[in-house]
Amino acid sequence: MNECNLYLGVDTGLFHAAAAIGIPQVVFFRNNGCNVNAYKNTYYVDSKIECSQVCRTVLNTYCESPIKCTKNYDLDAYYKIIVNLL
C-alpha cells in the first residue's frame, strides 16, 4: 500500500489501512449511515440510496444484494473527486 497514491473501493480493512498510513481514500459507502466511518482524508459522495425492499434486512442496516443498489451511485461525481485527487 505504501506505493499507492489513492485507495478506491468500499468500506473494508484496506480502506482503514490506507487511512492509517495517510493514503487518501475514495469510498463507496452503502446507504445505512456507515459514512460515519470516514476519516479526515476520506472522500465520498453522500448517498441517499434506498435499496429495494427485497435487499433490506429487518434492521435496514445491510444491503444483501449490493449489485441492485450500486447502480444508484453518482459515478460522475466520484470521477471528479478522483481526478482532483490525482
Side-chain angles (χ1 to χ4, degrees):
M1 284 197 94
N2 284 332
E3 301 296 319
C4 296
N5 295 325
L6 177 73
Y7 168 83
L8 172 63
V10 295
D11 186 357
T12 64
L14 289 176
F15 154 57
H16 297 284
I21 59 175
I23 297 171
Q25 321 91 52
V26 177
V27 180
F28 293 92
F29 288 113
R30 59 187 185 264
N31 67 316
N32 68 344
C34 63
N35 57 343
V36 298
N37 292 340
Y39 299 94
K40 65 179 180 176
N41 56 351
T42 303
Y43 301 86
Y44 61 93
V45 177
D46 198 20
S47 177
K48 303 291 186 217
I49 296 171
E50 285 293 330
C51 292
S52 67
Q53 190 65 34
V54 174
C55 72
R56 290 187 192 171
T57 64
V58 175
L59 298 176
N60 193 26
T61 58
Y62 179 76
C63 184
E64 294 173 359
S65 181
I67 293 171
K68 293 179 183 178
C69 301
T70 56
K71 68 180 181 177
N72 296 308
Y73 285 108
D74 185 346
L75 299 180
D76 290 331
Y78 273 95
Y79 177 78
K80 289 175 186 175
I81 292 171
I82 294 166
V83 167
N84 286 332
L85 290 171
L86 297 177

